[in-house]
């Protein structure tokens, strides 16, 4: 990716030479209206003695190619023309107009009589060497959120060295056996007798062992947290931001190892692991900014002279954070970082399937400078540790991500308390639809559907479950989806070539198989892949169902349900989905704005994605969270995220009692 | 109140003449260091043949008064000196310095050699006539919140004509019998057989009748609300703000009648009625501003080029609002206005004691242009109508102000639903303390305690319940409180001279009498007033208790509990109050900032008031609401108030799919 036109032009020539040099294995074809480029590739081909082909858009560049044909004693030229309706061609034409209209465009310079020929035919290397820097107004990816929030660093899996580094990290991890258990006051203590943690991609691989927290450890964690919290709260948002940024940096410094653990313990592909670590880092840095902005000196409110009125936010006390196995680092960290940012202490219960990555993270946080009493880890099952935590009188709030039924249970436990009514921030399931109309671009739909439905083996709450295709183009899109599914690689998630890893455990696979049986009986399976023999794999399935109400609840895995609809029935078809009362994510593919607006009106959703994939919300960019059965809000990674973790305090001071209002003297 | 110095100076002279003219009934004394003023009052007294006295601060103005004594052949002069410790005198001295240091001060001009004598002795009438306008930079009271929020208009009870107007409104009301009942779709329909509504100040006075809502009416109200809400939500914050401002204006236009109803139905004094109508108006106008700011086009979030990411707020659906009898118009309106502002429809249940004022308000709102389907009134008891509303599947959220036990019950009802987890915004009781130290100014403490503890007959959730007095000054302050209590007038709340009206009903009085019996047995009653015979009056009581833990819960009436403490025991004494886990209001009287900070650290509270009364929070100035057992937040009348009434929706649009990101061309 280049940020300046000269660098892009030079890159084109460098790549053109590589293509020409690859003959006879490649037969290179070049489509350009730039005379300099045309001359350059002809010269390169002649020098190399290689035959190439030229292409031009029908109706454009005729004079140029006529001149080239004369000058070079004949060239091989193909004229092409895009064919299609107005909706298909408009975006293409707009893009061409934008390109050719740019000030830096060759066409622009060529047609400008004031530009001397010497400038048009200048050596592209000279231009780049004269201005080697990136475009001054385009930030680097790391700076894209401005100076206060450094973007999380990525890993480019197309770079061999980076893949090798990750492979080394996996190998190193495989030589170890990890331990998880109650981490209270910064010390790993013994709970229940340890149980093995096995890899979902291969049940014979023992990744580590976990010991569940016991009641006295829970009591102790509450006591330490309660004692440490007031000082942390009083330290203020700026100081907490400093610590949160240190936590983010600690994660980033350990990216490779964390990805390896995610792959082994949670069955995450490397690409998913990279995204997950980045999201965890983003949460730390984004909430650091909110802590600074919202937990400082407070907001001075308008009022009468003679008194000052200030509104401040403060932490609530001790938060219990209960996180899921599908984002065992990112959601785990997001909940904790939010609660900490707002001035709370945290008791964290990781999902029972993923205690190892949680232990690793908490140790990193403590090592990075967080007072260990402010963050205890209490691994265990929901029925034991989760129940004890949420029923504890020392609790001031719960953040939970998981199933709707579990959320109901926790909510009832909290409501049964004869004490303060505490916040319950729940992020639960979804029954997410994507609506495609006939103006949608087929290739883009297919790409985005495959990623949204089968990425992460469908184990995202945001994942696409119901694809609504218009009758007229449904078959054509389904054909493309089948082909794209066939290209998916299932296998060891730690391998860089794997697209789809296992589902989390045998119970999850069993539920999916039961659902597949129902689809075979009551609906129509359009396409299904084959799962590897070892591990708890469930291979992607494409099935057609009659309507949205075929599904009563979330199907958590790589099963995509297609519903065909007639455009005139949109209201009713979409209404059937909305009637399920979930409201998490919504996808729309269309070139028509009124279609997108209609779908949004008909299907309320926390996160809507238009003409793109519908998973992978980025912290601060797509604040994430649903409504209805999908969650309570506020959105994670959004500007209001911290408010439910905090109390508001208003202080009114009569300053005339101190001798008058000095503000009056400045009028 | 004058906003310019010349107007204030002239007012002094006008009042001086009035005092002198009142001889021999008044013997006027003048303390000034302004030679012009001194000369003026001497001349006025001489012209009138009246004897007056002059006063000067010891050590100041000696030359001036020597000159006057010479010039006027002897004047009667008293020199005075403030006596006391550093803390007592500092505020006084600061005030003097500010006054004398002001650019417009006479002393300033007198000592400036460049100012000619003619200017110093200029005719004060000429000065005012040359600049008759108010100070350009001091807004009128109506403009104090800026151009977007007009302040609610007040009524000055010291003005005879205004009192007469209110008396007329009461008389007019007494000639009517009001009707309350289910208001569904804008029509008053028949519910249960009507029951009389009597005045708490005189049970023989029937103010009106109320009919309770029945189940079919509740179902119909939900159906109408659900059907009307989407259009209201889509109308956007600006349109809803327009309607909310119309509601506020409708209240203001009917102020007199509303005050009369508040007085007859709820036993409110006229002053309390004025404040209550103003608060209701303020809620409409404040939330109108929030609706405009927060429910518009949404917030554009930072992100990568090629896509737009916007975060918008939207209404949740149908809110149930359950309000208390102690602010039957202000809290009733505040809940409704918040829910409406955020794009919801509302089903409102007024307190069972105050259906008449609620009916009046809802009729005004409908007449002012609110679609009646968006606001239904469903009067009735908590056990019947309240229970049916909160258990209804059509519910999307509840706003409640009332007792802690009722809040628990509602919370349990909501948690029992197998559906979306809906917001529960509860504002409950308080056990509010005021901490006084030895640097506090006694007269100010007494004024603020009387207002905070006995104003509104102590029937405010913000009212002062526990007064913590330092041992050294406790007796002196208690003596003052007894004297101030003796000056309180109990009686008909519709009379302008009444300070304390009745408590709401016989049940409330019974609970207070039971509590008084306990105080007599287990504590020490320091002072108690006599209640009028008719009506459910309970006369103010001052009692001393050993420590905060004597009280387990809120005592809702005019009972003030005094706790004596030794300053060295502050931590423990305040800790005992905090241990009750209420956290509503907190008062502090001290000249020492570290004392105020310590008390705030020791007693968490939603609203803290320093060196002033601790009741009467103003919308937008002191956002109101507590923590712990006192409420869930968000604060009413604060910048975050609407967020819990709303859902957040993030929309991510891939704009490269439309042909490129035009923003790149503008770099």
């Amino acid at each position: 990716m280049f940020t300046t036109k000269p660098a892009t032009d030079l890159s084109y020539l460098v790549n053109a030479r590589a293509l020409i040099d690859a003959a006879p294995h490649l037969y290179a074809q070049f489509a350009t209206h730039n005379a300099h480029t045309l001359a350059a590739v002809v010269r390169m081909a002649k020098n190399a003695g290689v035959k190439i082909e030229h292409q031009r858009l029908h109706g454009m560049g005729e004079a140029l190619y006529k001149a080239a044909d004369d000058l070079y004693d004949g060239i091989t030229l193909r004229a092409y023309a895009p064919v299609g309706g107005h909706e298909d061609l408009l975006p293409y034409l707009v893009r061409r107009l934008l390109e050719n209209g740019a000030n830096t465009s060759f066409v622009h310079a060529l047609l400008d009589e004031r530009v001397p020929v010497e400038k048009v035919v200048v050596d592209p290397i000279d231009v780049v060497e004269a201005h080697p820097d990136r475009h001054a107004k385009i930030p680097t990816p790391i700076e894209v959120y401005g100076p206060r929030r450094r973007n999380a660093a990525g890993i480019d899996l197309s770079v061999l060295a980076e893949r090798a580094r990750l492979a080394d990290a996996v190998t190193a991890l495989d030589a170890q056996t990890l331990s998880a258990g109650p981490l209270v006051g910064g010390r790993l203590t013994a709970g229940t007798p340890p149980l093995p943690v096995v890899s979902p991609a291969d049940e014979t691989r023992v990744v580590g062992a976990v010991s569940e927290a016991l009641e006295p450890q829970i009591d102790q964690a509450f006591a330490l947290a309660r004692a440490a919290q007031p000082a942390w709260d009083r330290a203020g948002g700026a100081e907490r931001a400093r610590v949160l940024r240190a936590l983010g940096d600690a994660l980033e410094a350990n990216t490779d190892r964390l990805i390896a653990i995610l792959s082994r313990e949670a069955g995450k592909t490397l690409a998913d692991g990279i995204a997950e670590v980045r999201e965890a880092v983003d949460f730390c840095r984004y909430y650091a900014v909110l802590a600074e902005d919202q937990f400082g000196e407070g907001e001075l409110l308008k009022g009468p002279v003679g008194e000052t009125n200030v509104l401040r936010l403060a932490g609530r006390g001790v938060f219990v954070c209960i996180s899921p196995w599908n984002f065992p680092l990112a959601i785990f960290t997001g909940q904790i970082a939010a609660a900490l940012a707002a001035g709370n202490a945290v008791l964290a219960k990781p999902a029972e399937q993923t205690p190892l990555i949680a232990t690793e993270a908490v140790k990193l946080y403590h090592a990075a400078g967080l007072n260990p009493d402010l963050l205890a880890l209490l691994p265990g099952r929901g029925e034991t540790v989760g129940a004890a935590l949420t029923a504890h009188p020392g609790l001031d709030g719960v953040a939970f991500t998981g199933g709707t039924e579990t959320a109901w249970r926790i909510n009832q436990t909290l409501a049964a308390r004869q004490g303060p009514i505490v916040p319950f921030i729940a992020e639960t399931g979804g029954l997410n639809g994507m609506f495609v109309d006939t103006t949608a671009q087929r290739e883009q739909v297919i790409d985005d559907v495959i990623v949204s439905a089968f990425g992460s083996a469908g184990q995202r709450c945001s994942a696409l479950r119901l694809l609504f295709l218009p009758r007229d183009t449904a078959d054509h899109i389904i054909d493309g989806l089948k082909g794209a599914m066939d290209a998916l690689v299932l296998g060891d998630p730690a391998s860089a070539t794997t697209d789809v890893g296992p589902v989390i455990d045998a119970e999850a696979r069993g539920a999916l198989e039961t659902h597949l049986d129902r689809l075979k009986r009551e609906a129509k399976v359009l396409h299904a892949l084959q799962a590897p023999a070892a591990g708890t794999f469930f291979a992607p399935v494409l099935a057609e169902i009659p309507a949205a109400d075929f599904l009563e609840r979330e199907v958590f895995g790589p099963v995509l349900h297609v519903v065909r609809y007639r455009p005139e029935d949109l209201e009713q078809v979409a209404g059937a989905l909305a009637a399920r009362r979930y409201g998490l994510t919504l996808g729309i593919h269309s070139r028509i704005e009124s279609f997108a607006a209609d779908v949004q009106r008909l299907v309320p959703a926390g996160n809507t994605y238009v003409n793109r994939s519908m998973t992978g919300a980025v912290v601060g960019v797509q604040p994430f969270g649903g409504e209805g059965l999908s969650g309570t809000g506020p959105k994670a990674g959004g500007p209001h995220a911290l408010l439910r973790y905090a109390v508001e305090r208003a202080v009114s001071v009569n300053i005339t009692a101190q001798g008058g209002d000095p503000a009056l003297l400045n009028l």
Side-chain angles (χ1 to χ4, degrees), chain A:
Chain A
M1 183 86 75
F2 300 94
T3 61
T4 63
K5 182 78 166 57
T8 307
D9 288 344
L10 182 55
S11 170
Y12 184 98
L13 294 176
V14 171
N15 282 291
R17 172 165 291 171
L19 288 174
I20 290 166
D21 288 351
H25 307 294
L26 287 182
Y27 171 51
Q29 301 165 305
F30 298 94
T32 179
H33 296 161
N34 179 318
H36 184 284
T37 308
L38 177 56
V41 296
V42 169
R43 178 71 56 196
M44 287 187 231
K46 278 198 194 298
N47 288 352
V50 166
K51 186 168 161 47
I52 61 172
E53 181 181 303
H54 300 275
Q55 300 184 348
R56 68 170 178 83
L57 184 61
H58 176 71
M60 283 188 76
E62 289 182 43
L64 173 67
Y65 280 95
K66 177 78 178 65
D69 197 57
D70 292 347
L71 187 64
Y72 300 122
D73 304 327
I75 58 172
T76 307
L77 174 67
R78 185 195 305 250
Y80 69 95
V83 175
H86 178 263
E87 294 86 354
D88 295 319
L89 292 182
L90 192 62
Y92 175 83
L93 290 172
V94 168
R95 204 158 54 235
R96 296 306 299 254
L97 284 170
L98 289 174
E99 285 163 2
N100 290 345
N103 283 339
T104 48
S105 139
F106 173 84
V107 175
H108 191 91
L110 183 68
L111 299 177
D112 187 340
E113 299 281 340
R114 290 164 304 180
V115 177
V117 168
E118 293 70 31
K119 197 157 182 194
V120 175
V121 300
V122 72
D123 183 337
I125 296 176
D126 291 347
V127 178
V128 172
E129 285 183 340
H131 300 283
D133 295 335
R134 44 182 296 120
H135 194 296
K137 290 190 176 167
I138 297 179
T140 61
I142 219 92
E143 297 165 331
V144 77
Y145 303 120
R148 295 179 59 205
R149 176 188 162 196
R150 186 152 49 90
N151 195 1
I155 292 178
D156 187 346
L157 282 179
S158 69
V159 176
L160 186 63
E162 307 219 339
R163 289 205 301 277
R165 227 183 51 225
L166 286 182
D168 288 349
V170 173
T171 307
L173 181 72
D174 286 345
Q176 301 174 14
T177 305
L178 302 179
S179 269
L183 259 167
V184 179
R187 288 182 315 114
L188 188 63
T189 55
T192 59
L195 292 169
V197 178
V198 300
S199 175
D202 176 1
E203 301 101 322
T204 65
R205 187 193 297 277
V206 175
V207 192
V210 58
S211 159
E212 274 200 10
L214 300 168
E215 291 259 357
Q217 291 164 325
I218 292 172
D219 287 339
Q220 197 201 350
F222 269 109
L224 292 177
R226 182 148 304 286
Q229 186 266 337
W232 176 244
D233 186 33
R234 280 198 300 277
E239 166 61 14
R240 295 199 297 270
R242 201 189 55 71
V243 175
L244 285 166
R245 290 195 176 99
L247 305 190
D249 293 348
L251 290 170
E252 205 160 63
N254 288 274
T255 297
D256 297 351
R257 177 174 163 85
L258 294 169
I259 292 170
I261 300 175
L262 287 166
S263 185
R264 285 300 186 229
E265 184 185 37
K268 290 233 157 190
T269 63
L270 297 182
D272 282 346
I274 294 167
E276 171 136 24
V277 176
R278 292 191 66 205
E279 187 176 354
V281 173
D282 279 342
F283 272 126
C284 294
R285 293 179 184 161
Y286 180 75
Y287 289 143
V289 174
L290 293 193
E292 287 171 340
D293 289 348
Q294 300 176 355
F295 292 80
E297 290 302 300
E299 187 179 347
L300 192 66
L301 302 173
K302 246 181 215 160
V305 293
E307 65 183 30
T308 58
N309 289 287
V310 172
L311 182 66
R312 288 194 192 91
L313 298 179
R316 286 183 170 269
V318 180
F319 255 79
V320 165
C321 294
I322 300 177
S323 52
W325 50 260
N326 69 330
F327 286 92
L329 180 65
I331 293 179
F332 178 80
T333 297
Q335 294 174 339
I336 292 170
L340 289 176
N344 302 285
V346 175
L347 272 55
K349 191 196 93 61
E352 114 192 37
Q353 294 90 339
T354 52
L356 301 176
I357 185 73
T359 303
E360 194 77 9
V362 170
K363 283 182 183 169
L364 282 177
Y365 300 155
H366 291 166
L370 179 70
N371 174 357
D373 292 352
L374 290 170
L375 173 59
L377 183 76
L378 300 159
R381 284 161 298 150
E383 311 89 86
T384 53
V385 177
L389 285 170
T390 52
H392 203 282
L395 182 78
D396 297 300
V398 175
F400 166 79
T401 302
T404 303
E405 285 83 3
T406 312
W408 287 336
R409 207 153 46 232
I410 295 173
N411 198 25
Q412 283 158 15
T413 303
L414 296 177
R417 297 151 55 96
Q418 304 261 308
I421 296 174
V422 300
F424 179 43
I425 302 161
E427 183 58 53
T428 50
L431 203 52
N432 312 308
M434 179 188 282
F435 290 79
V436 176
D437 76 0
T438 53
T439 71
Q441 200 190 354
R442 178 174 173 261
E443 287 68 29
Q444 198 179 359
V445 170
I446 291 166
D447 279 357
D448 291 343
V449 166
I450 293 290
V451 167
S452 303
F454 304 128
S456 312
Q459 298 177 116
R460 289 172 179 260
C461 42
S462 56
L464 168 60
R465 310 293 178 203
L466 280 143
L467 178 62
F468 294 85
L469 295 177
R471 283 205 177 181
D472 287 350
T473 58
D475 283 332
H476 194 40
I477 293 173
I478 289 169
D479 280 348
L481 287 173
K482 289 179 185 173
M485 284 174 73
D486 287 336
L488 292 173
V489 177
L490 279 74
D492 180 3
S495 157
T497 56
T498 295
D499 296 305
V500 180
V503 297
I504 188 67
D505 58 19
E507 188 183 335
R509 183 175 57 184
L512 291 166
E513 282 168 349
T514 303
H515 180 69
L516 179 56
D517 288 343
R518 184 185 167 215
L519 288 174
K520 284 175 183 166
R521 280 197 319 273
E522 303 173 24
K524 191 165 131 197
V525 174
L526 301 174
H527 200 54
L529 302 183
Q530 279 297 315
T536 52
F537 281 86
F538 181 87
V541 169
L542 181 69
E544 184 168 346
I545 59 173
D549 54 15
F550 183 89
L551 297 179
E552 295 229 341
R553 59 181 63 213
E554 192 174 32
V555 175
F556 210 70
V559 182
L560 176 61
H561 307 85
V562 171
V563 177
R564 277 172 216 254
Y565 75 97
R566 294 189 307 177
E568 56 271 36
D569 297 338
L570 179 67
E571 194 119 352
Q572 174 223 319
V573 168
L577 177 60
R580 285 284 174 247
R581 302 199 73 179
Y582 287 94
L584 193 49
T585 63
L586 172 67
I588 299 168
H589 266 271
S590 170
R591 306 277 170 219
I592 299 177
E593 285 197 11
S594 67
F595 177 80
D598 284 346
V599 173
Q600 288 181 74
R601 176 174 56 76
L602 293 168
V603 186
N607 287 75
T608 298
Y609 298 91
V610 181
N611 292 329
R612 47 156 290 177
S613 70
M614 51 192 281
T615 55
V618 175
V619 172
V621 182
Q622 291 100 19
F624 188 75
E627 56 197 71
L629 284 171
S630 295
T632 59
K635 279 175 172 295
H640 309 123
L642 302 190
L643 295 176
R644 283 284 282 162
Y645 291 89
V647 290
E648 300 176 277
R649 292 186 184 146
V651 180
S652 183
V653 179
N654 170 12
I655 54 174
T656 58
Q658 305 290 352
D661 188 343
L664 282 177
L665 294 180
N666 296 327
L667 286 178

